[in-house]
Amino acid sequence: GYFFSKLFKSIDIFGLKTEFRLDQKEKFKTTSGGLFTFLYVGLVIFLFFSFGSNMINRESPETNVSQRYQSIPSMTKVSKDDYFFVFGMQNNKASHFIDEEIYSAVLTYASKQNGSVVRKIIPLEPCSTENMVNNPNLKKYFESQASSLSNLLCISKENTANIIIQGAWDTPKFDYLAIKITPCNKTARTCKSDEEIKAVLKSSYFAFYSSDNLFDLNIENPAVSFGRNYYIETTYAVKKIINRYLRTNQILSDDGWITSSISDTDYFSFDSDKESFELLDTFGENIVEIAIRKSYYESILSRKYKKIQNVFAEMTGFLRIIFVVLYFLSNPFIKKEYYESLTN
């Protein structure tokens, strides 16, 4: 009992100020005052975890979203772990099919440097599980888009080219991808008859499936990947021209506990599609031309997580009220001990 009494007296912050000193001390400290001090400290800790739960769990940051123009659009990599896509044709029953005797698909990587454009054919092959993305949720999405993966086209597993999309036509560097769908060319391979090809392509669809990102406030994984699909009706008498733009999203996270500690991460997302068409005079010309390129616009998402000093600032008003209440509640007990010590 003596040990705890001495302990509580030593931490008493509600001590009674006296007109004369006892034991050379300005305040008379009591066991009761120590108990109320212990209660006060407990309430301080409780309030800290209540007001600071978002800080501790790194949740509900202050956020600000803005957009800015990029004179030179930044790069996005095309790979299983970055921007990924598969594509193909559908017949009038919405069934995917690959038939080189009906149509051919060509994927070109175009790179403009020093005013000249270099084009490289990127090999394609029917999709398989080996072509798929590494993200398990995205993998399920792509695998569910066709009755069989082999009815869709993927970049070949043997491809070794490092594919980066960046810049724009009026910038020093401009790298983009282009897909062309063309009715089978009889001068290049064995084809079905024009009547059979027209019967399939007169009312068909171009299907394009790609990865995309949504953004939330999760500190560890601010970008959530999902699959995005795109369809456009096609026919052998009309060329459909699509420009798909990808946007850069810069995420700035200030997650310091006391001072600013800003990290900077970039993610891509879908920006927009611009479609146009051209009536064809000659059978056998491209019926789909799609370019995948970067947008001039960039989104900036700033996240600022609560800091320790912010938590204490929010607690200040409550702490003052609690201190005053405890002071008045403890006062009778402290005075009782004080007068008892005088009589003894």
Side-chain angles (χ1 to χ4, degrees), residues 174-195:
F174 180 35
D175 300 329
Y176 66 97
L177 284 171
I179 299 172
K180 294 181 180 180
I181 305 294
T182 311
C184 182
N185 184 354
K186 292 180 179 179
T187 62
R189 60 164 56 91
T190 302
C191 303
K192 292 181 179 177
S193 67
D194 288 354
E195 290 71 21

PDB file of all heavy atoms in Angstrom, residues 174-195:
ATOM      1  N   PHE A 174       8.146   9.852 -80.118  1.00  0.00           N
ATOM      2  CA  PHE A 174       6.741   9.457 -80.236  1.00  0.00           C
ATOM      3  C   PHE A 174       6.701   7.955 -80.511  1.00  0.00           C
ATOM      4  O   PHE A 174       7.066   7.507 -81.594  1.00  0.00           O
ATOM      5  CB  PHE A 174       6.058  10.234 -81.353  1.00  0.00           C
ATOM      6  CG  PHE A 174       4.612   9.882 -81.548  1.00  0.00           C
ATOM      7  CD1 PHE A 174       3.800   9.544 -80.473  1.00  0.00           C
ATOM      8  CD2 PHE A 174       4.039   9.893 -82.823  1.00  0.00           C
ATOM      9  CE1 PHE A 174       2.460   9.214 -80.651  1.00  0.00           C
ATOM     10  CE2 PHE A 174       2.703   9.567 -83.014  1.00  0.00           C
ATOM     11  CZ  PHE A 174       1.908   9.234 -81.921  1.00  0.00           C
ATOM     12  N   ASP A 175       6.294   7.189 -79.505  1.00  0.00           N
ATOM     13  CA  ASP A 175       6.199   5.735 -79.626  1.00  0.00           C
ATOM     14  C   ASP A 175       4.753   5.314 -79.393  1.00  0.00           C
ATOM     15  O   ASP A 175       4.151   5.696 -78.380  1.00  0.00           O
ATOM     16  CB  ASP A 175       7.102   5.048 -78.597  1.00  0.00           C
ATOM     17  CG  ASP A 175       8.567   5.422 -78.771  1.00  0.00           C
ATOM     18  OD1 ASP A 175       8.966   5.685 -79.913  1.00  0.00           O
ATOM     19  OD2 ASP A 175       9.303   5.448 -77.766  1.00  0.00           O
ATOM     20  N   TYR A 176       4.226   4.522 -80.310  1.00  0.00           N
ATOM     21  CA  TYR A 176       2.842   4.069 -80.170  1.00  0.00           C
ATOM     22  C   TYR A 176       2.675   2.707 -80.841  1.00  0.00           C
ATOM     23  O   TYR A 176       3.549   2.230 -81.585  1.00  0.00           O
ATOM     24  CB  TYR A 176       1.878   5.085 -80.782  1.00  0.00           C
ATOM     25  CG  TYR A 176       1.997   5.227 -82.289  1.00  0.00           C
ATOM     26  CD1 TYR A 176       1.130   4.546 -83.145  1.00  0.00           C
ATOM     27  CD2 TYR A 176       2.961   6.048 -82.869  1.00  0.00           C
ATOM     28  CE1 TYR A 176       1.233   4.675 -84.528  1.00  0.00           C
ATOM     29  CE2 TYR A 176       3.066   6.181 -84.241  1.00  0.00           C
ATOM     30  CZ  TYR A 176       2.204   5.488 -85.073  1.00  0.00           C
ATOM     31  OH  TYR A 176       2.306   5.616 -86.435  1.00  0.00           O
ATOM     32  N   LEU A 177       1.532   2.080 -80.567  1.00  0.00           N
ATOM     33  CA  LEU A 177       1.202   0.794 -81.173  1.00  0.00           C
ATOM     34  C   LEU A 177       0.057   0.984 -82.159  1.00  0.00           C
ATOM     35  O   LEU A 177      -0.836   1.813 -81.931  1.00  0.00           O
ATOM     36  CB  LEU A 177       0.786  -0.218 -80.095  1.00  0.00           C
ATOM     37  CG  LEU A 177       1.913  -0.826 -79.250  1.00  0.00           C
ATOM     38  CD1 LEU A 177       1.334  -1.619 -78.087  1.00  0.00           C
ATOM     39  CD2 LEU A 177       2.822  -1.710 -80.088  1.00  0.00           C
ATOM     40  N   ALA A 178       0.068   0.203 -83.214  1.00  0.00           N
ATOM     41  CA  ALA A 178      -1.004   0.268 -84.211  1.00  0.00           C
ATOM     42  C   ALA A 178      -1.446  -1.161 -84.553  1.00  0.00           C
ATOM     43  O   ALA A 178      -0.614  -2.032 -84.801  1.00  0.00           O
ATOM     44  CB  ALA A 178      -0.532   0.990 -85.462  1.00  0.00           C
ATOM     45  N   ILE A 179      -2.757  -1.377 -84.541  1.00  0.00           N
ATOM     46  CA  ILE A 179      -3.340  -2.662 -84.932  1.00  0.00           C
ATOM     47  C   ILE A 179      -4.132  -2.448 -86.216  1.00  0.00           C
ATOM     48  O   ILE A 179      -4.919  -1.491 -86.318  1.00  0.00           O
ATOM     49  CB  ILE A 179      -4.272  -3.211 -83.830  1.00  0.00           C
ATOM     50  CG1 ILE A 179      -3.498  -3.451 -82.533  1.00  0.00           C
ATOM     51  CG2 ILE A 179      -4.945  -4.516 -84.282  1.00  0.00           C
ATOM     52  CD1 ILE A 179      -4.392  -3.799 -81.339  1.00  0.00           C
ATOM     53  N   LYS A 180      -3.931  -3.345 -87.177  1.00  0.00           N
ATOM     54  CA  LYS A 180      -4.683  -3.276 -88.428  1.00  0.00           C
ATOM     55  C   LYS A 180      -5.338  -4.627 -88.704  1.00  0.00           C
ATOM     56  O   LYS A 180      -4.683  -5.673 -88.619  1.00  0.00           O
ATOM     57  CB  LYS A 180      -3.767  -2.891 -89.590  1.00  0.00           C
ATOM     58  CG  LYS A 180      -3.215  -1.476 -89.478  1.00  0.00           C
ATOM     59  CD  LYS A 180      -2.321  -1.127 -90.661  1.00  0.00           C
ATOM     60  CE  LYS A 180      -1.784   0.302 -90.535  1.00  0.00           C
ATOM     61  NZ  LYS A 180      -0.902   0.664 -91.668  1.00  0.00           N
ATOM     62  N   ILE A 181      -6.638  -4.573 -88.990  1.00  0.00           N
ATOM     63  CA  ILE A 181      -7.399  -5.767 -89.368  1.00  0.00           C
ATOM     64  C   ILE A 181      -7.750  -5.629 -90.849  1.00  0.00           C
ATOM     65  O   ILE A 181      -8.346  -4.627 -91.263  1.00  0.00           O
ATOM     66  CB  ILE A 181      -8.679  -5.921 -88.532  1.00  0.00           C
ATOM     67  CG1 ILE A 181      -8.358  -5.928 -87.024  1.00  0.00           C
ATOM     68  CG2 ILE A 181      -9.441  -7.174 -88.935  1.00  0.00           C
ATOM     69  CD1 ILE A 181      -7.560  -7.101 -86.560  1.00  0.00           C
ATOM     70  N   THR A 182      -7.380  -6.635 -91.625  1.00  0.00           N
ATOM     71  CA  THR A 182      -7.559  -6.575 -93.088  1.00  0.00           C
ATOM     72  C   THR A 182      -8.175  -7.879 -93.590  1.00  0.00           C
ATOM     73  O   THR A 182      -7.792  -8.961 -93.127  1.00  0.00           O
ATOM     74  CB  THR A 182      -6.188  -6.382 -93.778  1.00  0.00           C
ATOM     75  OG1 THR A 182      -5.481  -5.322 -93.142  1.00  0.00           O
ATOM     76  CG2 THR A 182      -6.352  -6.070 -95.244  1.00  0.00           C
ATOM     77  N   PRO A 183      -9.144  -7.798 -94.531  1.00  0.00           N
ATOM     78  CA  PRO A 183      -9.630  -9.031 -95.157  1.00  0.00           C
ATOM     79  C   PRO A 183      -8.464  -9.793 -95.780  1.00  0.00           C
ATOM     80  O   PRO A 183      -7.480  -9.203 -96.222  1.00  0.00           O
ATOM     81  CB  PRO A 183     -10.613  -8.532 -96.223  1.00  0.00           C
ATOM     82  CG  PRO A 183     -11.045  -7.191 -95.726  1.00  0.00           C
ATOM     83  CD  PRO A 183      -9.854  -6.602 -95.031  1.00  0.00           C
ATOM     84  N   CYS A 184      -8.563 -11.094 -95.800  1.00  0.00           N
ATOM     85  CA  CYS A 184      -7.475 -11.942 -96.305  1.00  0.00           C
ATOM     86  C   CYS A 184      -7.028 -11.496 -97.699  1.00  0.00           C
ATOM     87  O   CYS A 184      -7.841 -11.254 -98.592  1.00  0.00           O
ATOM     88  CB  CYS A 184      -7.939 -13.391 -96.342  1.00  0.00           C
ATOM     89  SG  CYS A 184      -6.660 -14.538 -96.884  1.00  0.00           S
ATOM     90  N   ASN A 185      -5.707 -11.376 -97.846  1.00  0.00           N
ATOM     91  CA  ASN A 185      -5.100 -10.925 -99.098  1.00  0.00           C
ATOM     92  C   ASN A 185      -4.677 -12.145 -99.922  1.00  0.00           C
ATOM     93  O   ASN A 185      -3.749 -12.865 -99.554  1.00  0.00           O
ATOM     94  CB  ASN A 185      -3.890 -10.044 -98.794  1.00  0.00           C
ATOM     95  CG  ASN A 185      -3.267  -9.461-100.041  1.00  0.00           C
ATOM     96  OD1 ASN A 185      -3.658  -9.786-101.164  1.00  0.00           O
ATOM     97  ND2 ASN A 185      -2.294  -8.581 -99.841  1.00  0.00           N
ATOM     98  N   LYS A 186      -5.334 -12.337-101.046  1.00  0.00           N
ATOM     99  CA  LYS A 186      -5.077 -13.533-101.861  1.00  0.00           C
ATOM    100  C   LYS A 186      -3.700 -13.540-102.497  1.00  0.00           C
ATOM    101  O   LYS A 186      -3.198 -14.601-102.887  1.00  0.00           O
ATOM    102  CB  LYS A 186      -6.141 -13.641-102.951  1.00  0.00           C
ATOM    103  CG  LYS A 186      -7.524 -13.939-102.409  1.00  0.00           C
ATOM    104  CD  LYS A 186      -8.552 -14.034-103.521  1.00  0.00           C
ATOM    105  CE  LYS A 186      -9.924 -14.346-102.952  1.00  0.00           C
ATOM    106  NZ  LYS A 186     -10.954 -14.425-104.019  1.00  0.00           N
ATOM    107  N   THR A 187      -3.070 -12.360-102.590  1.00  0.00           N
ATOM    108  CA  THR A 187      -1.723 -12.329-103.168  1.00  0.00           C
ATOM    109  C   THR A 187      -0.663 -12.765-102.160  1.00  0.00           C
ATOM    110  O   THR A 187       0.482 -13.024-102.536  1.00  0.00           O
ATOM    111  CB  THR A 187      -1.390 -10.908-103.658  1.00  0.00           C
ATOM    112  OG1 THR A 187      -1.416 -10.003-102.534  1.00  0.00           O
ATOM    113  CG2 THR A 187      -2.388 -10.450-104.700  1.00  0.00           C
ATOM    114  N   ALA A 188      -1.039 -12.839-100.895  1.00  0.00           N
ATOM    115  CA  ALA A 188      -0.065 -13.182 -99.851  1.00  0.00           C
ATOM    116  C   ALA A 188      -0.280 -14.572 -99.273  1.00  0.00           C
ATOM    117  O   ALA A 188       0.655 -15.193 -98.769  1.00  0.00           O
ATOM    118  CB  ALA A 188      -0.122 -12.145 -98.727  1.00  0.00           C
ATOM    119  N   ARG A 189      -1.513 -15.093 -99.341  1.00  0.00           N
ATOM    120  CA  ARG A 189      -1.787 -16.412 -98.755  1.00  0.00           C
ATOM    121  C   ARG A 189      -3.040 -16.996 -99.384  1.00  0.00           C
ATOM    122  O   ARG A 189      -3.752 -16.329-100.151  1.00  0.00           O
ATOM    123  CB  ARG A 189      -1.962 -16.304 -97.238  1.00  0.00           C
ATOM    124  CG  ARG A 189      -3.115 -15.390 -96.813  1.00  0.00           C
ATOM    125  CD  ARG A 189      -3.489 -15.606 -95.361  1.00  0.00           C
ATOM    126  NE  ARG A 189      -2.355 -15.427 -94.478  1.00  0.00           N
ATOM    127  CZ  ARG A 189      -2.021 -14.268 -93.911  1.00  0.00           C
ATOM    128  NH1 ARG A 189      -2.758 -13.184 -94.174  1.00  0.00           N
ATOM    129  NH2 ARG A 189      -1.007 -14.172 -93.110  1.00  0.00           N
ATOM    130  N   THR A 190      -3.327 -18.220 -99.010  1.00  0.00           N
ATOM    131  CA  THR A 190      -4.553 -18.868 -99.461  1.00  0.00           C
ATOM    132  C   THR A 190      -5.733 -18.294 -98.689  1.00  0.00           C
ATOM    133  O   THR A 190      -5.707 -18.236 -97.452  1.00  0.00           O
ATOM    134  CB  THR A 190      -4.478 -20.390 -99.230  1.00  0.00           C
ATOM    135  OG1 THR A 190      -3.349 -20.902 -99.937  1.00  0.00           O
ATOM    136  CG2 THR A 190      -5.749 -21.060 -99.719  1.00  0.00           C
ATOM    137  N   CYS A 191      -6.754 -17.873 -99.402  1.00  0.00           N
ATOM    138  CA  CYS A 191      -7.911 -17.248 -98.774  1.00  0.00           C
ATOM    139  C   CYS A 191      -9.194 -17.957 -99.223  1.00  0.00           C
ATOM    140  O   CYS A 191      -9.224 -18.624-100.259  1.00  0.00           O
ATOM    141  CB  CYS A 191      -8.012 -15.775 -99.160  1.00  0.00           C
ATOM    142  SG  CYS A 191      -6.554 -14.796 -98.759  1.00  0.00           S
ATOM    143  N   LYS A 192     -10.217 -17.748 -98.449  1.00  0.00           N
ATOM    144  CA  LYS A 192     -11.542 -18.190 -98.882  1.00  0.00           C
ATOM    145  C   LYS A 192     -12.031 -17.239 -99.966  1.00  0.00           C
ATOM    146  O   LYS A 192     -11.449 -16.171-100.192  1.00  0.00           O
ATOM    147  CB  LYS A 192     -12.496 -18.227 -97.695  1.00  0.00           C
ATOM    148  CG  LYS A 192     -12.142 -19.325 -96.683  1.00  0.00           C
ATOM    149  CD  LYS A 192     -13.108 -19.380 -95.515  1.00  0.00           C
ATOM    150  CE  LYS A 192     -12.715 -20.516 -94.564  1.00  0.00           C
ATOM    151  NZ  LYS A 192     -13.562 -20.582 -93.373  1.00  0.00           N
ATOM    152  N   SER A 193     -13.094 -17.594-100.612  1.00  0.00           N
ATOM    153  CA  SER A 193     -13.603 -16.755-101.700  1.00  0.00           C
ATOM    154  C   SER A 193     -14.083 -15.410-101.164  1.00  0.00           C
ATOM    155  O   SER A 193     -14.400 -15.275 -99.973  1.00  0.00           O
ATOM    156  CB  SER A 193     -14.757 -17.458-102.407  1.00  0.00           C
ATOM    157  OG  SER A 193     -15.869 -17.568-101.528  1.00  0.00           O
ATOM    158  N   ASP A 194     -14.111 -14.409-102.051  1.00  0.00           N
ATOM    159  CA  ASP A 194     -14.584 -13.085-101.641  1.00  0.00           C
ATOM    160  C   ASP A 194     -15.983 -13.161-101.051  1.00  0.00           C
ATOM    161  O   ASP A 194     -16.303 -12.465-100.078  1.00  0.00           O
ATOM    162  CB  ASP A 194     -14.582 -12.130-102.838  1.00  0.00           C
ATOM    163  CG  ASP A 194     -13.170 -11.735-103.249  1.00  0.00           C
ATOM    164  OD1 ASP A 194     -12.230 -12.116-102.513  1.00  0.00           O
ATOM    165  OD2 ASP A 194     -13.020 -11.056-104.278  1.00  0.00           O
ATOM    166  N   GLU A 195     -16.833 -14.006-101.619  1.00  0.00           N
ATOM    167  CA  GLU A 195     -18.205 -14.134-101.130  1.00  0.00           C
ATOM    168  C   GLU A 195     -18.223 -14.664 -99.693  1.00  0.00           C
ATOM    169  O   GLU A 195     -18.987 -14.190 -98.838  1.00  0.00           O
ATOM    170  CB  GLU A 195     -19.020 -15.056-102.037  1.00  0.00           C
ATOM    171  CG  GLU A 195     -19.345 -14.479-103.415  1.00  0.00           C
ATOM    172  CD  GLU A 195     -18.115 -14.401-104.319  1.00  0.00           C
ATOM    173  OE1 GLU A 195     -17.135 -15.133-104.063  1.00  0.00           O
ATOM    174  OE2 GLU A 195     -18.152 -13.584-105.263  1.00  0.00           O
TER     175      GLU A 195
END
